[in-house]
Amino acid sequence: MKHEQIEEAIPLYALDAVNRREHQEIEAHLETCQACLDLFHEYQQVATGLLVSQPFLPVPAGMEERLLQRLDSSPGAVLPGSASNTSGAIYAPPYAAPLPWESRLRGWLAPQRALSAGLAAVAALLLVMNGVLLWQLNQTQQQVQQTTTQSLQLRNLISEMSQQGSRTIVLQAEPAVAPDGKAAVIINPDTTEAYLLVQSLPKLPQGRIYQIWLNDGKTRISGGLFNVDANGQAIVKITAPVPLGNYKVLGITVEPDGGSPGPTSPRVIGNNL
Amino acid sequence: MAERLQDLTDERLMGLISQGMQTALVEIHSRYISPVYALTLRILQQQHAAEDASQETFLRVWQKAATFDPARGSLVAWLMTIARNEAIAIIRSNRRFPVMLGEDEQATIDLNAPGKYLQDTEWRDLRLALVNLPAEQRQVIELAYFRGMTHEEIAAVLKLPPGTVKSRILLGMRKLRLALVEY
Ligand SMILES: [Zn+2]
């Protein structure tokens, strides 16, 4: 094709509407002809505009969970940079070998490497929780199905932990009520959100639920309700009305379903904040 | 004050994603899933297939974040190009996708609903310009760009001479370019 013909075909090329042979010819010509290249850039803008100017549509529920599930699905995680040539084979999974959970955790935290407070919080948490993260990160595919929401929470939590100013507080279990119970809360005194991780808490009978209490020294408010899974584990996001630095004590009790206005049973686990 | 992912620019988030931070990908997903889904649904016309293509798109973001170059264009343009490729690849690999002739296209475009994610009103104007094209020009552009057909394939499907299809695409594209330039 001559310059004139190429020039004419550029809008078609920008729309990806040319056949393979035309595509190659135009591509080669663009390397040698600035006028055609400029024209192509203009039409490329039009094409991009057509892509980008989509109407606002509500999105089906659960897509975020499904994406995370894909990232985590066995045999290995899809790792950044693991894509090779993506043309053609859209479902050929360029999966890399699974990374041990430690390096994945490090990967998540890498961007905030400078924030040693965040890393210290993670280290403390790992020490205390020995297992819960491991469990979360090494779930089998079937488990992922049931716990994706938790995975999502875990990710939020890890993000939270790596924020500057966050610290981890280990909660003390009452030996009489929860002999094996372990819990930690990731807290940033300047914010109103915290994450609670619990492990090996007794599974409660029907009609009972764990309730979190936040005490500022004068009054006690509810920090939320939660249940544990078959392994006695849970990750709970706590949202307080005022920054968490205002609270002095966090405690957890067992209450009737729906929660109580105040604790009606002895503390299962808790600590000073 | 703690720095929150929600407050970070697309560019920073892409940097974090390329280092393997899944929460950054979740943030990008929440910012752009709506236009990505809208585009893939427009191309594939089936909710399930559109969900798959959207998911593939964000997996590509995860894998290729390091190759994103903000100097070459916005993230949304990059993302939507990937989304188009994923959706067209599904069409091409699967014959059960019917060829829609694009006549009902207007019905699926709600001009009153602004692109929430987009500040760029010029692109909204382009959408308007597309809808305002003569139907025969809009149809061939839709078939090319949103069904992944070459001008020859379009001619075959519409039973038109190849030259007619070409000239309709060219006329329509020229008008769209003017709409973009005039703005
Ligand atoms: Zn030229």
Side-chain angles (χ1 to χ4, degrees), chain A residues 166-218:
Chain A
S166 288
R167 56 204 170 90
T168 304
I169 295 163
V170 178
L171 306 181
Q172 305 298 328
E174 300 295 328
V177 198
D180 302 322
K182 291 193 174 83
V185 60
I186 320 292
I187 204 165
N188 182 336
D190 299 332
T191 71
T192 57
E193 286 172 2
Y195 285 86
L196 170 76
L197 278 91
V198 302
Q199 192 181 11
S200 306
L201 280 193
K203 188 131 176 59
L204 297 178
Q206 197 78 32
R208 298 265 136 183
I209 195 160
Y210 286 107
Q211 188 162 8
I212 303 163
W213 302 100
L214 293 167
N215 191 329
D216 64 3
K218 293 194 202 87

Tab-separated table of all heavy atoms in Angstrom, chain A residues 166-218:
chain	number	residue	atom	x	y	z
A	166	SER	N	-0.040	1.998	63.588
A	166	SER	CA	-0.794	0.837	64.039
A	166	SER	C	0.035	0.018	65.021
A	166	SER	O	1.245	-0.052	64.910
A	166	SER	CB	-1.159	-0.063	62.859
A	166	SER	OG	-2.149	0.534	62.097
A	167	ARG	N	-0.642	-0.560	65.997
A	167	ARG	CA	0.081	-1.496	66.852
A	167	ARG	C	-0.792	-2.688	67.173
A	167	ARG	O	-2.006	-2.644	67.010
A	167	ARG	CB	0.589	-0.804	68.121
A	167	ARG	CG	-0.473	-0.146	68.917
A	167	ARG	CD	0.128	0.967	69.781
A	167	ARG	NE	-0.920	1.757	70.362
A	167	ARG	CZ	-1.471	1.478	71.544
A	167	ARG	NH1	-1.061	0.460	72.239
A	167	ARG	NH2	-2.441	2.241	72.020
A	168	THR	N	-0.142	-3.724	67.612
A	168	THR	CA	-0.839	-4.962	67.917
A	168	THR	C	-0.903	-5.140	69.419
A	168	THR	O	0.106	-5.007	70.104
A	168	THR	CB	-0.083	-6.159	67.314
A	168	THR	OG1	0.053	-5.932	65.929
A	168	THR	CG2	-0.830	-7.456	67.552
A	169	ILE	N	-2.083	-5.413	69.922
A	169	ILE	CA	-2.232	-5.667	71.348
A	169	ILE	C	-2.740	-7.097	71.524
A	169	ILE	O	-3.744	-7.489	70.924
A	169	ILE	CB	-3.215	-4.661	71.985
A	169	ILE	CG1	-2.601	-3.260	71.891
A	169	ILE	CG2	-3.496	-5.030	73.436
A	169	ILE	CD1	-3.580	-2.162	72.103
A	170	VAL	N	-2.001	-7.836	72.287
A	170	VAL	CA	-2.383	-9.222	72.545
A	170	VAL	C	-3.435	-9.220	73.653
A	170	VAL	O	-3.280	-8.549	74.666
A	170	VAL	CB	-1.156	-10.033	72.973
A	170	VAL	CG1	-1.542	-11.461	73.302
A	170	VAL	CG2	-0.104	-9.983	71.882
A	171	LEU	N	-4.507	-9.953	73.444
A	171	LEU	CA	-5.556	-10.024	74.455
A	171	LEU	C	-5.359	-11.283	75.300
A	171	LEU	O	-4.896	-12.306	74.806
A	171	LEU	CB	-6.928	-10.045	73.785
A	171	LEU	CG	-7.208	-8.886	72.810
A	171	LEU	CD1	-8.602	-9.017	72.225
A	171	LEU	CD2	-7.039	-7.536	73.494
A	172	GLN	N	-5.700	-11.173	76.572
A	172	GLN	CA	-5.521	-12.304	77.486
A	172	GLN	C	-6.816	-13.085	77.604
A	172	GLN	O	-7.863	-12.523	77.897
A	172	GLN	CB	-5.115	-11.793	78.877
A	172	GLN	CG	-3.880	-10.891	78.889
A	172	GLN	CD	-2.629	-11.597	78.397
A	172	GLN	OE1	-2.472	-12.812	78.597
A	172	GLN	NE2	-1.753	-10.869	77.720
A	173	ALA	N	-6.701	-14.400	77.400
A	173	ALA	CA	-7.881	-15.247	77.543
A	173	ALA	C	-8.064	-15.651	79.005
A	173	ALA	O	-7.093	-15.825	79.736
A	173	ALA	CB	-7.731	-16.488	76.680
A	174	GLU	N	-9.313	-15.771	79.434
A	174	GLU	CA	-9.599	-16.265	80.782
A	174	GLU	C	-9.496	-17.787	80.744
A	174	GLU	O	-10.262	-18.443	80.032
A	174	GLU	CB	-11.009	-15.853	81.212
A	174	GLU	CG	-11.234	-14.349	81.246
A	174	GLU	CD	-10.376	-13.652	82.305
A	174	GLU	OE1	-10.101	-14.286	83.347
A	174	GLU	OE2	-9.978	-12.500	82.064
A	175	PRO	N	-8.564	-18.359	81.498
A	175	PRO	CA	-8.331	-19.809	81.413
A	175	PRO	C	-9.589	-20.632	81.695
A	175	PRO	O	-9.777	-21.688	81.101
A	175	PRO	CB	-7.267	-20.064	82.482
A	175	PRO	CG	-6.688	-18.730	82.794
A	175	PRO	CD	-7.703	-17.700	82.467
A	176	ALA	N	-10.451	-20.124	82.563
A	176	ALA	CA	-11.630	-20.899	82.920
A	176	ALA	C	-12.624	-20.980	81.763
A	176	ALA	O	-13.329	-21.974	81.601
A	176	ALA	CB	-12.306	-20.287	84.145
A	177	VAL	N	-12.677	-19.917	80.948
A	177	VAL	CA	-13.697	-19.854	79.890
A	177	VAL	C	-13.155	-20.300	78.538
A	177	VAL	O	-13.804	-21.038	77.803
A	177	VAL	CB	-14.266	-18.412	79.765
A	177	VAL	CG1	-15.577	-18.425	79.011
A	177	VAL	CG2	-14.411	-17.772	81.121
A	178	ALA	N	-11.948	-19.830	78.212
A	178	ALA	CA	-11.372	-20.138	76.900
A	178	ALA	C	-9.916	-20.524	77.084
A	178	ALA	O	-9.019	-19.743	76.821
A	178	ALA	CB	-11.502	-18.940	75.966
A	179	PRO	N	-9.680	-21.736	77.556
A	179	PRO	CA	-8.323	-22.131	77.942
A	179	PRO	C	-7.302	-22.001	76.804
A	179	PRO	O	-6.154	-21.654	77.051
A	179	PRO	CB	-8.483	-23.600	78.364
A	179	PRO	CG	-9.825	-24.036	77.879
A	179	PRO	CD	-10.660	-22.819	77.765
A	180	ASP	N	-7.721	-22.272	75.575
A	180	ASP	CA	-6.774	-22.223	74.461
A	180	ASP	C	-6.896	-20.934	73.658
A	180	ASP	O	-6.214	-20.753	72.654
A	180	ASP	CB	-7.017	-23.401	73.503
A	180	ASP	CG	-6.895	-24.736	74.220
A	180	ASP	OD1	-6.016	-24.835	75.091
A	180	ASP	OD2	-7.703	-25.640	73.922
A	181	GLY	N	-7.798	-20.072	74.062
A	181	GLY	CA	-8.113	-18.884	73.260
A	181	GLY	C	-6.916	-17.969	73.067
A	181	GLY	O	-6.126	-17.738	73.972
A	182	LYS	N	-6.789	-17.493	71.847
A	182	LYS	CA	-5.754	-16.512	71.535
A	182	LYS	C	-6.431	-15.399	70.771
A	182	LYS	O	-7.321	-15.639	69.955
A	182	LYS	CB	-4.684	-17.124	70.632
A	182	LYS	CG	-3.818	-18.185	71.287
A	182	LYS	CD	-2.624	-18.442	70.375
A	182	LYS	CE	-1.627	-19.397	71.018
A	182	LYS	NZ	-2.012	-20.807	70.837
A	183	ALA	N	-5.997	-14.174	71.039
A	183	ALA	CA	-6.590	-13.069	70.294
A	183	ALA	C	-5.633	-11.894	70.280
A	183	ALA	O	-4.807	-11.739	71.167
A	183	ALA	CB	-7.922	-12.654	70.908
A	184	ALA	N	-5.747	-11.109	69.230
A	184	ALA	CA	-4.959	-9.881	69.141
A	184	ALA	C	-5.792	-8.848	68.416
A	184	ALA	O	-6.662	-9.183	67.612
A	184	ALA	CB	-3.656	-10.132	68.400
A	185	VAL	N	-5.527	-7.608	68.751
A	185	VAL	CA	-6.249	-6.544	68.054
A	185	VAL	C	-5.205	-5.621	67.433
A	185	VAL	O	-4.179	-5.322	68.041
A	185	VAL	CB	-7.239	-5.824	69.012
A	185	VAL	CG1	-6.539	-5.190	70.181
A	185	VAL	CG2	-8.058	-4.796	68.256
A	186	ILE	N	-5.465	-5.253	66.180
A	186	ILE	CA	-4.585	-4.320	65.475
A	186	ILE	C	-5.272	-2.977	65.554
A	186	ILE	O	-6.382	-2.814	65.058
A	186	ILE	CB	-4.429	-4.664	63.974
A	186	ILE	CG1	-4.312	-6.153	63.742
A	186	ILE	CG2	-3.301	-3.866	63.345
A	186	ILE	CD1	-3.075	-6.764	64.252
A	187	ILE	N	-4.613	-2.041	66.139
A	187	ILE	CA	-5.297	-0.801	66.472
A	187	ILE	C	-4.441	0.384	66.065
A	187	ILE	O	-3.216	0.336	66.148
A	187	ILE	CB	-5.591	-0.816	68.000
A	187	ILE	CG1	-6.757	0.079	68.339
A	187	ILE	CG2	-4.389	-0.448	68.815
A	187	ILE	CD1	-7.270	-0.211	69.727
A	188	ASN	N	-5.092	1.400	65.578
A	188	ASN	CA	-4.423	2.662	65.320
A	188	ASN	C	-5.177	3.707	66.125
A	188	ASN	O	-6.335	3.983	65.841
A	188	ASN	CB	-4.466	2.979	63.821
A	188	ASN	CG	-3.726	4.258	63.493
A	188	ASN	OD1	-3.568	5.132	64.351
A	188	ASN	ND2	-3.284	4.373	62.262
A	189	PRO	N	-4.549	4.260	67.155
A	189	PRO	CA	-5.264	5.138	68.090
A	189	PRO	C	-5.915	6.344	67.414
A	189	PRO	O	-6.862	6.913	67.941
A	189	PRO	CB	-4.175	5.599	69.063
A	189	PRO	CG	-3.038	4.652	68.877
A	189	PRO	CD	-3.128	4.124	67.486
A	190	ASP	N	-5.401	6.725	66.234
A	190	ASP	CA	-5.931	7.917	65.558
A	190	ASP	C	-7.160	7.625	64.714
A	190	ASP	O	-7.797	8.541	64.208
A	190	ASP	CB	-4.864	8.519	64.632
A	190	ASP	CG	-3.641	8.953	65.406
A	190	ASP	OD1	-3.806	9.296	66.601
A	190	ASP	OD2	-2.541	8.928	64.827
A	191	THR	N	-7.456	6.354	64.499
A	191	THR	CA	-8.575	6.028	63.618
A	191	THR	C	-9.685	5.339	64.397
A	191	THR	O	-9.506	4.961	65.560
A	191	THR	CB	-8.146	5.106	62.460
A	191	THR	OG1	-7.878	3.809	63.005
A	191	THR	CG2	-6.906	5.627	61.761
A	192	THR	N	-10.811	5.171	63.753
A	192	THR	CA	-11.966	4.577	64.426
A	192	THR	C	-12.139	3.105	64.067
A	192	THR	O	-13.118	2.495	64.442
A	192	THR	CB	-13.249	5.333	64.047
A	192	THR	OG1	-13.372	5.295	62.618
A	192	THR	CG2	-13.211	6.771	64.521
A	193	GLU	N	-11.180	2.562	63.289
A	193	GLU	CA	-11.320	1.166	62.883
A	193	GLU	C	-10.170	0.328	63.408
A	193	GLU	O	-9.023	0.760	63.416
A	193	GLU	CB	-11.361	1.058	61.359
A	193	GLU	CG	-12.680	1.528	60.802
A	193	GLU	CD	-12.667	1.604	59.289
A	193	GLU	OE1	-11.641	1.250	58.686
A	193	GLU	OE2	-13.694	2.010	58.735
A	194	ALA	N	-10.503	-0.872	63.844
A	194	ALA	CA	-9.482	-1.798	64.316
A	194	ALA	C	-9.869	-3.191	63.849
A	194	ALA	O	-11.005	-3.426	63.441
A	194	ALA	CB	-9.399	-1.759	65.840
A	195	TYR	N	-8.905	-4.086	63.876
A	195	TYR	CA	-9.183	-5.471	63.494
A	195	TYR	C	-8.867	-6.397	64.651
A	195	TYR	O	-7.845	-6.265	65.314
A	195	TYR	CB	-8.366	-5.875	62.271
A	195	TYR	CG	-8.909	-5.284	61.008
A	195	TYR	CD1	-8.528	-4.008	60.609
A	195	TYR	CD2	-9.823	-5.983	60.236
A	195	TYR	CE1	-9.039	-3.449	59.456
A	195	TYR	CE2	-10.341	-5.433	59.073
A	195	TYR	CZ	-9.945	-4.177	58.687
A	195	TYR	OH	-10.447	-3.617	57.548
A	196	LEU	N	-9.772	-7.319	64.849
A	196	LEU	CA	-9.607	-8.311	65.910
A	196	LEU	C	-9.416	-9.677	65.256
A	196	LEU	O	-10.170	-10.039	64.359
A	196	LEU	CB	-10.865	-8.314	66.787
A	196	LEU	CG	-10.975	-9.445	67.807
A	196	LEU	CD1	-10.055	-9.180	68.993
A	196	LEU	CD2	-12.410	-9.598	68.287
A	197	LEU	N	-8.407	-10.384	65.687
A	197	LEU	CA	-8.204	-11.767	65.241
A	197	LEU	C	-8.350	-12.662	66.441
A	197	LEU	O	-7.732	-12.401	67.479
A	197	LEU	CB	-6.794	-11.958	64.688
A	197	LEU	CG	-6.541	-11.548	63.255
A	197	LEU	CD1	-6.092	-10.114	63.202
A	197	LEU	CD2	-5.482	-12.454	62.657
A	198	VAL	N	-9.134	-13.702	66.311
A	198	VAL	CA	-9.231	-14.655	67.412
A	198	VAL	C	-8.968	-16.051	66.886
A	198	VAL	O	-9.190	-16.350	65.715
A	198	VAL	CB	-10.605	-14.619	68.131
A	198	VAL	CG1	-10.897	-13.229	68.662
A	198	VAL	CG2	-11.711	-15.107	67.213
A	199	GLN	N	-8.485	-16.869	67.764
A	199	GLN	CA	-8.158	-18.246	67.418
A	199	GLN	C	-8.500	-19.126	68.596
A	199	GLN	O	-8.312	-18.727	69.747
A	199	GLN	CB	-6.663	-18.334	67.098
A	199	GLN	CG	-6.258	-19.623	66.455
A	199	GLN	CD	-4.768	-19.671	66.171
A	199	GLN	OE1	-4.019	-18.827	66.634
A	199	GLN	NE2	-4.346	-20.665	65.430
A	200	SER	N	-8.992	-20.324	68.317
A	200	SER	CA	-9.281	-21.329	69.350
A	200	SER	C	-10.242	-20.839	70.431
A	200	SER	O	-10.088	-21.164	71.600
A	200	SER	CB	-7.984	-21.821	70.012
A	200	SER	OG	-7.088	-22.285	69.045
A	201	LEU	N	-11.197	-20.046	70.026
A	201	LEU	CA	-12.269	-19.697	70.975
A	201	LEU	C	-13.333	-20.792	70.871
A	201	LEU	O	-13.557	-21.345	69.788
A	201	LEU	CB	-12.900	-18.353	70.632
A	201	LEU	CG	-12.172	-17.082	71.065
A	201	LEU	CD1	-13.102	-15.879	70.926
A	201	LEU	CD2	-11.664	-17.184	72.493
A	202	PRO	N	-14.011	-21.100	72.002
A	202	PRO	CA	-15.045	-22.146	71.935
A	202	PRO	C	-16.146	-21.769	70.952
A	202	PRO	O	-16.521	-20.598	70.855
A	202	PRO	CB	-15.598	-22.177	73.367
A	202	PRO	CG	-14.607	-21.469	74.211
A	202	PRO	CD	-13.853	-20.527	73.327
A	203	LYS	N	-16.618	-22.766	70.210
A	203	LYS	CA	-17.761	-22.540	69.335
A	203	LYS	C	-18.990	-22.415	70.219
A	203	LYS	O	-19.164	-23.202	71.157
A	203	LYS	CB	-17.887	-23.725	68.358
A	203	LYS	CG	-18.909	-23.532	67.290
A	203	LYS	CD	-18.334	-23.860	65.897
A	203	LYS	CE	-19.405	-23.758	64.822
A	203	LYS	NZ	-20.016	-22.417	64.751
A	204	LEU	N	-19.822	-21.441	69.942
A	204	LEU	CA	-20.940	-21.169	70.848
A	204	LEU	C	-22.186	-21.952	70.440
A	204	LEU	O	-22.388	-22.228	69.265
A	204	LEU	CB	-21.260	-19.671	70.844
A	204	LEU	CG	-20.130	-18.773	71.364
A	204	LEU	CD1	-20.540	-17.316	71.278
A	204	LEU	CD2	-19.755	-19.153	72.798
A	205	PRO	N	-23.009	-22.279	71.437
A	205	PRO	CA	-24.269	-22.953	71.103
A	205	PRO	C	-25.202	-21.995	70.358
A	205	PRO	O	-25.003	-20.777	70.370
A	205	PRO	CB	-24.851	-23.321	72.472
A	205	PRO	CG	-24.178	-22.412	73.443
A	205	PRO	CD	-22.822	-22.077	72.873
A	206	GLN	N	-26.200	-22.570	69.716
A	206	GLN	CA	-27.237	-21.804	69.016
A	206	GLN	C	-27.775	-20.702	69.928
A	206	GLN	O	-27.982	-20.923	71.115
A	206	GLN	CB	-28.380	-22.775	68.658
A	206	GLN	CG	-29.332	-22.269	67.595
A	206	GLN	CD	-28.715	-22.418	66.208
A	206	GLN	OE1	-27.943	-23.340	65.971
A	206	GLN	NE2	-29.033	-21.501	65.317
A	207	GLY	N	-27.962	-19.519	69.378
A	207	GLY	CA	-28.574	-18.452	70.162
A	207	GLY	C	-27.579	-17.629	70.964
A	207	GLY	O	-27.958	-16.708	71.675
A	208	ARG	N	-26.308	-17.953	70.863
A	208	ARG	CA	-25.280	-17.185	71.592
A	208	ARG	C	-24.289	-16.582	70.603
A	208	ARG	O	-24.050	-17.139	69.531
A	208	ARG	CB	-24.510	-18.104	72.545
A	208	ARG	CG	-25.372	-18.723	73.614
A	208	ARG	CD	-25.312	-17.901	74.869
A	208	ARG	NE	-26.634	-17.729	75.448
A	208	ARG	CZ	-26.866	-16.984	76.527
A	208	ARG	NH1	-25.883	-16.342	77.123
A	208	ARG	NH2	-28.082	-16.862	76.998
A	209	ILE	N	-23.692	-15.470	70.989
A	209	ILE	CA	-22.759	-14.797	70.083
A	209	ILE	C	-21.697	-14.070	70.925
A	209	ILE	O	-21.960	-13.712	72.091
A	209	ILE	CB	-23.542	-13.823	69.166
A	209	ILE	CG1	-22.693	-13.393	67.972
A	209	ILE	CG2	-24.060	-12.598	69.930
A	209	ILE	CD1	-23.503	-12.850	66.824
A	210	TYR	N	-20.532	-13.914	70.341
A	210	TYR	CA	-19.501	-13.135	71.028
A	210	TYR	C	-19.756	-11.647	70.806
A	210	TYR	O	-20.109	-11.229	69.706
A	210	TYR	CB	-18.105	-13.485	70.488
A	210	TYR	CG	-17.609	-14.837	70.951
A	210	TYR	CD1	-17.554	-15.909	70.068
A	210	TYR	CD2	-17.180	-15.024	72.262
A	210	TYR	CE1	-17.082	-17.153	70.492
A	210	TYR	CE2	-16.713	-16.263	72.689
A	210	TYR	CZ	-16.660	-17.323	71.801
A	210	TYR	OH	-16.202	-18.546	72.217
A	211	GLN	N	-19.583	-10.866	71.863
A	211	GLN	CA	-19.759	-9.421	71.744
A	211	GLN	C	-18.492	-8.703	72.233
A	211	GLN	O	-17.920	-9.067	73.274
A	211	GLN	CB	-20.987	-8.941	72.533
A	211	GLN	CG	-21.312	-7.463	72.283
A	211	GLN	CD	-22.739	-7.080	72.694
A	211	GLN	OE1	-23.450	-7.880	73.305
A	211	GLN	NE2	-23.144	-5.867	72.352
A	212	ILE	N	-18.086	-7.714	71.455
A	212	ILE	CA	-16.879	-6.943	71.798
A	212	ILE	C	-17.311	-5.689	72.564
A	212	ILE	O	-18.288	-5.035	72.198
A	212	ILE	CB	-16.152	-6.516	70.504
A	212	ILE	CG1	-15.815	-7.739	69.653
A	212	ILE	CG2	-14.902	-5.702	70.820
A	212	ILE	CD1	-15.477	-7.391	68.211
A	213	TRP	N	-16.563	-5.358	73.604
A	213	TRP	CA	-16.862	-4.156	74.386
A	213	TRP	C	-15.661	-3.224	74.396
A	213	TRP	O	-14.532	-3.668	74.543
A	213	TRP	CB	-17.227	-4.537	75.829
A	213	TRP	CG	-18.395	-5.471	75.890
A	213	TRP	CD1	-18.350	-6.820	76.060
A	213	TRP	CD2	-19.773	-5.123	75.761
A	213	TRP	NE1	-19.621	-7.358	76.039
A	213	TRP	CE2	-20.516	-6.330	75.853
A	213	TRP	CE3	-20.467	-3.926	75.572
A	213	TRP	CZ2	-21.910	-6.371	75.771
A	213	TRP	CZ3	-21.843	-3.961	75.487
A	213	TRP	CH2	-22.556	-5.161	75.586
A	214	LEU	N	-15.954	-1.947	74.254
A	214	LEU	CA	-14.906	-0.932	74.346
A	214	LEU	C	-15.241	-0.036	75.525
A	214	LEU	O	-16.351	0.499	75.613
A	214	LEU	CB	-14.856	-0.100	73.061
A	214	LEU	CG	-14.408	-0.840	71.797
A	214	LEU	CD1	-14.719	-0.006	70.556
A	214	LEU	CD2	-12.928	-1.172	71.869
A	215	ASN	N	-14.274	0.129	76.418
A	215	ASN	CA	-14.524	0.889	77.637
A	215	ASN	C	-13.574	2.077	77.685
A	215	ASN	O	-12.357	1.913	77.592
A	215	ASN	CB	-14.291	-0.046	78.843
A	215	ASN	CG	-14.789	0.571	80.129
A	215	ASN	OD1	-14.779	1.802	80.279
A	215	ASN	ND2	-15.206	-0.269	81.057
A	216	ASP	N	-14.146	3.282	77.806
A	216	ASP	CA	-13.280	4.477	77.841
A	216	ASP	C	-12.980	4.908	79.277
A	216	ASP	O	-12.443	5.991	79.506
A	216	ASP	CB	-13.902	5.614	77.034
A	216	ASP	CG	-15.217	6.099	77.630
A	216	ASP	OD1	-15.627	5.593	78.709
A	216	ASP	OD2	-15.861	6.966	77.010
A	217	GLY	N	-13.329	4.067	80.234
A	217	GLY	CA	-13.064	4.390	81.632
A	217	GLY	C	-14.327	4.870	82.327
A	217	GLY	O	-14.430	4.791	83.542
A	218	LYS	N	-15.274	5.374	81.565
A	218	LYS	CA	-16.540	5.812	82.155
A	218	LYS	C	-17.674	4.933	81.664
A	218	LYS	O	-18.449	4.388	82.441
A	218	LYS	CB	-16.836	7.267	81.772
A	218	LYS	CG	-15.857	8.261	82.382
A	218	LYS	CD	-16.410	9.693	82.247
A	218	LYS	CE	-15.300	10.729	82.334
A	218	LYS	NZ	-14.686	10.994	81.007
